[in-house]
Amino acid sequence: MAQVNPTVGSLAANAEKTLEWTEKALKAGADVVLFPELMITGYPPEDLVLKPAFVADNIACLKSLSKKIRGITAIVGFVDRKDAIYNAAALIHDGGVKDVYHKIYLPNYGVFDEERYFRPGSSALNFTLGGVTFGVGICEDIWFPDGPVRAQAAAGADVIVNLNASPYHAGKLVVREKMLRTRARTNDVVIAYNNMVGGQDELVFDGQGMVIDRSGKVVARGAPFAEELIVVDLKIGRKKPLKIIDGVRDVVLSPTLPSPARGEEIWNRSSRTAKKRALKIKEQRPINRHDEMLGALRLGTCDYVKKNGFKHAVVGLSGGIDSSLVAALAADALGGGNVTGVFMPSVFTSKESLEDAEALSKNLGIEFLTIPIRGVQEGYASALKPEFGGSHPGIAEENIQARIRGNILMSLSNKFGWLVLTTGNKSEMSVGYATLYGDMAGGFAVIKDVPKGLVYRLCARLNKRAGRRIIPKRVFTKAPTAELKFNQTDQDTLPPYDVLDAILKAYVEEDKSPGEIAALGFPLKTVRKVIRMVDGSEYKRRQAPPGIKISPRALGKDRRMPITNGYGK
Amino acid sequence: MAQVNPTVGSLAANAEKTLEWTEKALKAGADVVLFPELMITGYPPEDLVLKPAFVADNIACLKSLSKKIRGITAIVGFVDRKDAIYNAAALIHDGGVKDVYHKIYLPNYGVFDEERYFRPGSSALNFTLGGVTFGVGICEDIWFPDGPVRAQAAAGADVIVNLNASPYHAGKLVVREKMLRTRARTNDVVIAYNNMVGGQDELVFDGQGMVIDRSGKVVARGAPFAEELIVVDLKIGRKKPLKIIDGVRDVVLSPTLPSPARGEEIWNRSSRTAKKRALKIKEQRPINRHDEMLGALRLGTCDYVKKNGFKHAVVGLSGGIDSSLVAALAADALGGGNVTGVFMPSVFTSKESLEDAEALSKNLGIEFLTIPIRGVQEGYASALKPEFGGSHPGIAEENIQARIRGNILMSLSNKFGWLVLTTGNKSEMSVGYATLYGDMAGGFAVIKDVPKGLVYRLCARLNKRAGRRIIPKRVFTKAPTAELKFNQTDQDTLPPYDVLDAILKAYVEEDKSPGEIAALGFPLKTVRKVIRMVDGSEYKRRQAPPGIKISPRALGKDRRMPITNGYGK
């Protein structure tokens, strides 16, 4: 299984990567190599697939690739076009495409919109190579007990190969693994589940592919958040005679030699290498759940920055916990030398904030700039004086400060070509405790799906892993504040974060009603206030930068709420 | 047909509106009254329908409503829940729901995501009342020649009643009308096509319902962009005996009297009133295409502002054509007294710009403010001096000006509770010729789907309709400029707008490839440059406010492109 990282739209580069990893598999002595779902286009290609030229180009890349593949059977995801377009897998063998499978189950919920694009396939595909029968499937196909796997197994499949672009969220691995083990046991088949790796806008594909034997045991496991060739030797004992099953076609392939150019040497490698590798991989355990989240945030940030052509990121540092986490993740993803932290004090900024931001920057090895905003603030006050007259300073004046900071970061971005990373967490983004065009200004919202409580836990984990206080101790202990007026703390406006996070999880992720949430043990008045804040800030979220999904329901393509919305009012 | 304007999520208010218009229909002597698709929830309710409480509340509203309806048969759109949720129509008669139809064809393209939410229905519904058989359908159901209409007609339907929430785009009325006339003729049925009216975020429902006789002739027409009761007397001559058709159920209703409370008087009104009304409506002609677009922009703006609880809008005026159109539309939608225009000159601003902005404001009767930005600009220059050093002023410095203006408008919004309307047109939004958080800052982007050439034509039409130059002559004749540096014009950066608009239509709306666009008669180099600008500014559009769709493909839910995208690079 080639657990690789394609880029959406980079058709030629993705085909080239497919060839490169096919050759690695060939060298490792593999007979069959799997790629992820939609390997040629990347996932999700969204409305690109509505462009006829895009689909034609992806088919041309696949055809040209297939001519170069000999001596190994490769199964490669692409977009097929017949009477409609299909989410497809090409069976490449002996320099050509021998058959094409069309995904039957198309997900159209959560972050998925596959029914917008693709027609579902209507027949399953088995192929037989050297006496072993493989059933081909794509992602969602394997999630249904009554799906194609049952028919493929009945028709004699020994191994189900499943191509995936399965986005990460915390806890998903356990669900996947449980489902795959059940599917393998129930159908008496080996399952090779290969997943994409990489970041694409708000999604992160986590890899963590698996091979499960007939008994439901995981016999190999792909790395989390990294490209890897997962090589496994399978013992196949025929379980039952082949049957003819309606809707399952069987293609018989003859084993072929690699093209002379690659030579005997590769073909004749013993499978011992592969066995050794498989045994090694087998020992890889699922990782700590906080490390897994940090891995997702790191890869999501790294890929967004690099795949969009940036080399350097800039973060506004407040001395608080959110910007500390974002700066630490950026330094981890890009290297400290490619990150600039900017501290932008006003009259409301404390000395402690400066000290903490500076200490953090030093610990991370990132550039630290201080740009005071007081002069600009006075400029606005003077420009607006005729209109604001003697009005009491309030939200308008607070937001101006946040917007000055946003503008300064964007100016640095415009001048030096840096990407601005925003620092708002999921709790703030949910209730709209953030300034549109202010602290929400930037290209990528790294911790948009991380609730405040989890921000603290992830920071603690980073310090623990580093064996030192990268994020200064005081950042954990002081009261969270936006420092937009004197003696302000977040809790002037919001309930305590543990209460807020629990209410938000119930409302945003679980669609619970006010009554149901109150029944969990929160005052109905608080619940209603939080819900009002969430519903009333949809217009802000609509203009927020994308950020990395790590929860079952993130604030992005996952949750599509109307702005104009009278419900509950 | 009650062509009415519900609000998404306002379940109780929508049910109340249904009752109110049912009573109007009863008073007009109607036997049957149709409401739009999803009348109770509004359309599109998006992820609200994933909340179990929302669906339960909508069902409760429908049930309570049904008890109040007597003496007339009402067909009302709502979300039904059985084993799954359905886009449904309730057949309300004699104080109860007699049957429920589930929409069979679910649109899942363009702006539509119905397969994300609803399960498709599996059987068609006819009902017979006073010897006349009606076939019930919802929106998409009627667009397919092989859809339920054929079966319903074969089973004896005389009249097809079709509930719609069909969003406006220019030219759609002609397509709808042609389809409906064909459907009526082919199936030998009368068609009553009732459409929603109103704005919902980026969509505008245009009303313009129609009744078509068996010969395909339009016999009644609803007003564009306004609520209206469309009353039509139909002559029904039975065409053929009833047949039993698989998948079509028939409910027979007995005509009932209105509840005593409403009294004999209403029930006994002669149908002369209705006939007279029908004849009057019959004469209503489809309107001029520019007036139709202006109607959509006006209603979209008015409903966004009012349904979101605002009373007053603010627009940054530059003296150019785009802000002039937006200010004129806002004044038309909200009344001049509810609009403020803000002129924010810098050192690059010409005297002519001031004169034109001021003249426009006077003509529109809107408040006019001048807030110079020079002082704030100097504040930024001084704050950024240590970083920008002796670098040459460029995009960074230009964007600062746009962002200062954005901040000032947002400050006025925060201080006075005004909604900021942005002024970018579709040509600019497509190529990213706009400053994120600058001129893109605001709640609603009125002309986001209006290409630059059309902006001029709509302004000309406004002046012509008014019989005077509301928008000053010089605004039409001077070269478009962002005035962010000396002697700047849009054409320093962009191809001439007629060329740009044609390329954009081919690329953004028609998914043509560079080669295909060049073949229309444009230099390939220009085409490639424009495409690069479009693809490269996806990140800006993702953070843009919503705006009103008036074209077949707008820059919003209609066009879902990845930000990270290697295609064509």
Side-chain angles (χ1 to χ4, degrees):
Chain A
M1 304 198 304
Q3 177 179 296
V4 293
N5 185 346
T7 298
V8 164
S10 298
L11 305 174
N14 295 342
E16 184 55 40
K17 186 184 275 277
T18 308
L19 185 61
E20 188 188 305
W21 284 75
T22 299
E23 294 189 346
K24 286 189 195 189
L26 192 61
K27 280 186 191 152
D31 298 304
V32 176
V33 58
L34 317 185
F35 285 86
E37 179 177 14
L38 293 190
M39 175 67 201
I40 301 297
T41 60
Y43 192 94
E46 301 190 70
D47 281 11
L48 284 172
V49 299
L50 301 182
K51 294 176 188 282
F54 179 82
V55 175
D57 290 349
N58 119 97
I59 292 173
C61 282
L62 180 89
K63 288 217 165 132
S64 142
L65 165 71
S66 70
K67 292 191 184 125
K68 298 173 196 156
I69 297 182
R70 285 173 192 281
I72 188 167
T73 301
I75 302 160
V76 180
F78 76 110
V79 177
D80 194 21
R81 176 189 288 138
K82 298 289 175 204
D83 48 337
I85 61 171
Y86 296 88
N87 183 334
L91 177 61
I92 302 178
H93 183 81
D94 202 16
V97 176
K98 298 304 173 195
D99 208 324
V100 172
Y101 169 71
H102 294 159
K103 186 176 183 178
I104 296 173
Y105 286 80
L106 300 175
N108 204 68
Y109 53 80
V111 300
F112 301 109
D113 289 291
E114 292 198 18
E115 292 182 2
R116 179 175 172 88
Y117 308 110
F118 303 120
R119 186 171 293 180
S122 52
S123 83
L125 172 65
N126 279 356
F127 71 92
T128 301
L129 174 71
V132 180
T133 299
F134 298 80
V136 178
I138 303 178
C139 208
E140 198 82 357
D141 286 331
I142 207 163
W143 285 84
F144 294 86
D146 297 335
V149 173
R150 178 183 288 183
Q152 288 170 304
D158 303 293
V159 183
I160 298 294
V161 296
N162 186 262
L163 278 51
N164 292 270
S166 175
Y168 169 76
H169 66 75
K172 193 168 186 185
L173 184 65
V174 175
V175 180
R176 266 187 217 141
E177 187 172 324
K178 197 177 159 196
M179 177 276 293
L180 291 171
R181 293 172 62 168
T182 306
R183 203 70 71 250
R185 262 199 320 269
T186 314
N187 295 287
D188 190 24
V189 287
V190 175
I191 293 178
Y193 176 98
N194 185 40
N195 194 18
M196 187 176 279
V197 72
Q200 170 61 25
D201 292 349
E202 60 187 49
L203 302 182
V204 173
F205 304 97
D206 55 324
Q208 309 202 76
M210 281 172 255
V211 178
I212 321 255
D213 72 14
R214 293 177 188 279
S215 74
K217 204 174 113 198
V218 178
V219 296
R221 215 181 263 285
F225 308 108
E227 290 194 318
E228 188 176 44
L229 189 70
I230 305 157
V231 187
V232 191
D233 270 352
L234 298 173
K235 291 194 194 82
I236 308 293
R238 284 222 79 77
K239 46 179 185 162
K240 48 191 163 192
L242 291 173
K243 274 195 269 181
I244 293 174
I245 300 282
D246 257 11
V248 183
R249 60 189 189 280
D250 198 353
V251 179
V252 180
L253 306 174
S254 324
T256 58
L257 292 179
S259 60
R262 286 203 192 81
E264 285 289 300
E265 188 264 330
I266 295 173
W267 186 245
N268 287 331
R269 284 171 87 100
S270 102
S271 62
R272 273 177 50 209
T273 328
K275 263 185 197 147
K276 229 170 114 189
R277 179 66 183 275
L279 288 174
K280 199 181 111 214
I281 289 165
K282 195 173 154 184
E283 285 151 30
Q284 186 158 16
R285 303 308 311 160
I287 54 176
N288 165 300
R289 74 184 227 104
H290 288 153
D291 283 345
E292 197 187 56
M293 292 175 193
L294 289 166
L297 295 170
R298 179 187 190 277
L299 179 59
T301 305
C302 178
D303 273 8
Y304 190 87
V305 172
K306 294 190 174 163
K307 290 181 178 180
N308 281 293
F310 291 92
K311 292 186 181 112
H312 194 104
V314 58
V315 185
L317 297 181
S318 68
I321 193 91
D322 299 315
S323 56
S324 297
L325 178 57
V326 172
L329 285 165
D332 189 25
L334 309 174
N338 296 314
V339 179
T340 298
V342 186
F343 186 72
M344 294 170 280
S346 78
V347 62
F348 306 119
T349 306
S350 69
K351 184 173 63 68
E352 289 76 11
S353 295
L354 169 62
E355 290 168 2
D356 292 341
E358 197 162 18
L360 173 83
S361 300
K362 210 175 147 191
N363 295 345
L364 294 173
I366 67 173
E367 184 186 28
F368 181 74
L369 303 179
T370 298
I371 303 180
I373 67 164
R374 193 167 181 171
V376 186
Q377 215 181 329
E378 283 163 4
Y380 277 107
S382 142
L384 288 164
K385 201 169 179 189
E387 309 312 326
F388 285 12
S391 74
H392 200 71
I395 294 290
E397 287 76 5
E398 291 185 32
N399 282 341
I400 284 174
Q401 298 166 60
R403 292 191 177 120
I404 293 170
R405 294 189 174 108
N407 288 0
I408 287 176
L409 294 175
M410 289 305 295
S411 296
L412 295 168
S413 166
N414 289 155
K415 186 62 91 179
F416 304 117
W418 300 342
L419 182 74
V420 178
L421 300 177
T422 65
T423 61
N425 61 57
K426 189 176 193 174
S427 313
E428 292 173 354
M429 288 302 104
S430 296
V431 294
Y433 192 72
T435 301
L436 189 58
Y437 322 129
D439 49 312
M440 289 177 67
F444 199 58
V446 176
I447 59 170
K448 185 181 180 181
D449 200 27
V450 185
K452 187 79 175 188
L454 185 57
V455 169
Y456 283 97
R457 293 192 291 280
L458 292 180
C459 284
R461 177 69 192 162
L462 279 179
N463 279 1
K464 192 176 175 194
R465 270 194 341 200
R468 64 195 177 98
R469 288 220 176 93
I470 294 178
I471 297 156
K473 188 177 173 190
R474 193 167 52 195
V475 174
F476 291 85
T477 54
K478 64 190 176 189
T481 166
E483 287 194 329
L484 295 173
K485 56 183 179 181
F486 288 117
N487 300 319
Q488 186 180 36
T489 75
D490 294 4
Q491 271 53 63
D492 300 345
T493 312
L494 303 175
Y497 274 116
D498 55 342
V499 172
L500 179 64
D501 286 358
I503 295 174
L504 289 174
K505 186 168 192 298
Y507 187 65
V508 172
E509 294 183 22
E510 295 164 5
D511 279 329
K512 288 199 163 66
S513 69
E516 288 168 330
I517 301 171
L520 299 175
F522 304 104
L524 187 60
K525 204 179 141 190
T526 307
V527 172
R528 287 200 188 280
K529 181 188 164 186
V530 170
I531 290 179
R532 248 193 333 269
M533 293 179 86
V534 174
D535 292 349
S537 54
E538 187 55 38
Y539 75 99
K540 290 190 186 179
R541 284 188 293 278
R542 198 66 70 86
Q543 295 189 39
I548 303 160
K549 171 183 165 75
I550 67 160
S551 78
R553 188 183 286 169
L555 303 168
K557 286 202 296 181
D558 242 356
R559 187 173 186 274
R560 307 180 188 178
M561 285 292 172
I563 297 175
T564 305
N565 172 13
Y567 187 54
K569 276 178 198 160
Chain B
M1 305 198 304
Q3 177 180 295
V4 293
N5 186 347
T7 297
V8 164
S10 298
L11 305 174
N14 295 342
E16 185 53 42
K17 187 184 274 276
T18 308
L19 185 61
E20 187 189 306
W21 285 75
T22 298
E23 294 190 345
K24 285 188 197 193
L26 192 60
K27 279 187 193 152
D31 299 303
V32 176
V33 58
L34 317 185
F35 284 87
E37 180 177 13
L38 294 189
M39 175 66 201
I40 302 296
T41 61
Y43 192 93
E46 302 189 69
D47 280 11
L48 284 172
V49 298
L50 301 181
K51 295 177 188 285
F54 179 82
V55 175
D57 290 349
N58 118 96
I59 291 172
C61 282
L62 181 89
K63 287 214 168 133
S64 142
L65 167 70
S66 71
K67 291 186 187 134
K68 298 175 197 154
I69 296 183
R70 288 175 189 276
I72 187 167
T73 302
I75 303 160
V76 180
F78 77 110
V79 177
D80 194 22
R81 176 191 286 139
K82 297 292 174 201
D83 48 336
I85 61 170
Y86 296 88
N87 183 333
L91 177 60
I92 301 177
H93 182 82
D94 203 16
V97 176
K98 298 304 170 192
D99 207 325
V100 172
Y101 168 71
H102 294 158
K103 186 177 183 179
I104 296 173
Y105 286 80
L106 301 174
N108 203 66
Y109 53 81
V111 299
F112 301 109
D113 288 292
E114 292 197 18
E115 291 181 1
R116 178 175 173 87
Y117 308 109
F118 303 119
R119 185 169 295 178
S122 53
S123 82
L125 172 64
N126 280 355
F127 71 92
T128 300
L129 175 71
V132 179
T133 300
F134 297 80
V136 178
I138 303 177
C139 210
E140 198 82 356
D141 286 331
I142 207 164
W143 286 84
F144 294 86
D146 296 337
V149 173
R150 179 183 288 182
Q152 289 169 302
D158 302 294
V159 182
I160 298 294
V161 295
N162 186 261
L163 277 50
N164 291 270
S166 176
Y168 170 76
H169 68 72
K172 193 168 184 184
L173 184 65
V174 175
V175 179
R176 264 187 218 142
E177 185 171 325
K178 197 178 158 193
M179 177 277 291
L180 291 172
R181 293 173 61 169
T182 305
R183 200 71 69 250
R185 260 199 321 268
T186 315
N187 294 287
D188 190 24
V189 287
V190 174
I191 293 178
Y193 176 98
N194 186 40
N195 194 19
M196 186 176 277
V197 72
Q200 170 60 26
D201 292 351
E202 61 187 46
L203 301 182
V204 173
F205 303 98
D206 54 324
Q208 308 201 74
M210 279 172 258
V211 178
I212 320 256
D213 72 13
R214 294 177 189 278
S215 73
K217 206 174 112 196
V218 179
V219 297
R221 214 180 263 286
F225 309 108
E227 291 195 315
E228 187 176 44
L229 188 70
I230 306 159
V231 187
V232 191
D233 268 353
L234 297 173
K235 291 193 194 79
I236 308 293
R238 283 221 80 76
K239 47 179 183 162
K240 49 192 163 193
L242 290 174
K243 274 193 272 182
I244 293 173
I245 301 282
D246 256 11
V248 183
R249 62 188 188 281
D250 198 352
V251 180
V252 179
L253 305 175
S254 323
T256 58
L257 290 179
S259 61
R262 286 206 190 81
E264 284 289 299
E265 188 263 331
I266 293 172
W267 183 247
N268 287 330
R269 282 174 87 100
S270 103
S271 62
R272 271 176 53 208
T273 328
K275 263 185 194 148
K276 225 170 122 189
R277 181 67 183 276
L279 288 173
K280 198 180 112 213
I281 288 165
K282 194 174 153 184
E283 284 152 30
Q284 187 158 15
R285 305 306 310 163
I287 53 175
N288 166 300
R289 75 186 225 101
H290 288 153
D291 283 345
E292 197 187 55
M293 294 175 191
L294 289 167
L297 296 170
R298 179 186 190 280
L299 179 59
T301 304
C302 178
D303 274 7
Y304 190 87
V305 172
K306 294 189 176 164
K307 290 181 178 179
N308 281 293
F310 291 92
K311 292 189 181 114
H312 194 106
V314 56
V315 184
L317 296 181
S318 69
I321 192 93
D322 298 315
S323 56
S324 297
L325 178 56
V326 172
L329 286 164
D332 190 25
L334 308 174
N338 296 313
V339 179
T340 298
V342 186
F343 187 71
M344 294 169 280
S346 78
V347 61
F348 306 120
T349 305
S350 68
K351 183 172 64 67
E352 289 77 10
S353 295
L354 169 61
E355 290 167 4
D356 292 341
E358 197 162 16
L360 174 83
S361 300
K362 208 174 146 194
N363 296 345
L364 293 173
I366 67 174
E367 184 185 26
F368 182 73
L369 303 179
T370 298
I371 302 179
I373 67 166
R374 195 170 181 166
V376 187
Q377 213 180 330
E378 281 163 5
Y380 278 107
S382 143
L384 288 163
K385 202 170 179 187
E387 309 312 326
F388 285 11
S391 75
H392 198 75
I395 294 290
E397 287 78 2
E398 291 184 33
N399 281 342
I400 285 173
Q401 297 166 61
R403 291 190 177 119
I404 293 170
R405 294 190 175 108
N407 288 1
I408 287 176
L409 294 176
M410 290 304 295
S411 297
L412 294 169
S413 166
N414 289 155
K415 187 60 87 177
F416 304 117
W418 300 343
L419 181 74
V420 178
L421 301 177
T422 66
T423 60
N425 60 58
K426 187 175 196 175
S427 313
E428 291 173 355
M429 287 303 103
S430 297
V431 295
Y433 192 72
T435 301
L436 190 57
Y437 321 130
D439 48 312
M440 288 176 68
F444 200 59
V446 178
I447 58 170
K448 186 182 179 180
D449 200 27
V450 184
K452 188 76 174 191
L454 185 56
V455 170
Y456 283 97
R457 292 191 292 279
L458 292 180
C459 284
R461 177 69 192 164
L462 279 179
N463 278 0
K464 194 176 171 191
R465 269 195 340 202
R468 64 196 177 99
R469 287 217 177 93
I470 294 178
I471 296 155
K473 187 176 175 190
R474 194 166 53 193
V475 174
F476 291 85
T477 54
K478 65 190 176 189
T481 167
E483 286 194 331
L484 296 172
K485 58 183 179 180
F486 287 118
N487 298 318
Q488 185 179 39
T489 75
D490 294 4
Q491 270 54 63
D492 301 345
T493 312
L494 303 175
Y497 274 116
D498 54 342
V499 171
L500 179 64
D501 285 358
I503 294 173
L504 289 173
K505 185 169 194 299
Y507 187 65
V508 172
E509 293 183 25
E510 296 163 5
D511 279 329
K512 287 201 163 64
S513 69
E516 288 167 330
I517 300 171
L520 298 175
F522 304 105
L524 187 59
K525 207 180 137 187
T526 307
V527 172
R528 286 201 188 282
K529 182 187 163 186
V530 170
I531 290 178
R532 250 194 329 273
M533 293 180 85
V534 174
D535 291 350
S537 54
E538 187 56 37
Y539 74 99
K540 290 190 186 179
R541 282 188 293 279
R542 200 65 72 87
Q543 296 188 39
I548 303 159
K549 171 182 165 74
I550 66 159
S551 77
R553 188 183 287 168
L555 303 169
K557 287 201 295 182
D558 241 358
R559 186 175 186 273
R560 306 179 190 180
M561 285 294 172
I563 296 176
T564 305
N565 171 13
Y567 187 54
K569 276 179 196 158

